[in-house]
Amino acid sequence: IFENFSSKMPLRVGSDAPLDWTLVDQLGIAVNLKALLGKKTIVIFFFPKVFTSGCTKEACEFRNVYDEFKKYNAEVIGISADPQKRQNHFGATHKLPYALLSDPRLEVASLFKVMPTMGMFPKRVTFVIDKNGKIALAYDSMLWESHAAKALKTAKLLYGDSEPEPPAEEPKTGCFSCFAA
């Protein structure tokens, strides 16, 4: 039932997710994937850079369906190379309810094989990791629009919902800049 959306993605559906790492979130709190394992489905989305148009829209899309992820016992984590202070400002500005992890040396991105495109910014890749530490979704696309929806569909399937519904089309109010042209 789960899809591997890119033949170029080194970490594939069914692979073990890298677990031995710790990064600091936007509030300065250390987050370790191994500590979360077994408790929830984990959604990790790697994104290139805070406050850029596509990344802001993607982050807000995950925010807009965050309650749905919680309903299906899934935790959302965003990771970029941006410094912790910049991510704190980004999270506060857009009222993001999930952890934003700072990976300035791209160490965790490397573990997940999410390498920079054109030698500049990390790619936009979303992983869904089941409670056993296996990758259930590996979605590699620079288009921000579908990441949250595909991750939510996978989280619902892992939870046991046999008829997943797409997330709401309309953005929540309060973050108009997320959907500005």
Side-chain angles (χ1 to χ4, degrees), residues 42-90:
I42 307 297
V43 176
I44 297 177
F45 71 99
F46 288 89
F47 62 102
K49 192 166 181 60
V50 299
F51 289 111
T52 58
S53 178
C55 294
T56 299
K57 291 173 184 177
E58 179 184 23
C60 289
E61 191 63 27
F62 273 101
R63 179 209 57 211
N64 292 345
V65 294
Y66 184 73
D67 288 341
E68 287 289 305
F69 280 110
K70 298 305 269 181
K71 178 180 170 183
Y72 294 104
N73 198 31
E75 189 56 53
V76 176
I77 298 171
I79 301 178
S80 77
D82 295 290
Q84 179 257 330
K85 280 186 174 183
R86 187 130 170 90
Q87 288 191 347
N88 186 18
H89 181 58
F90 181 66

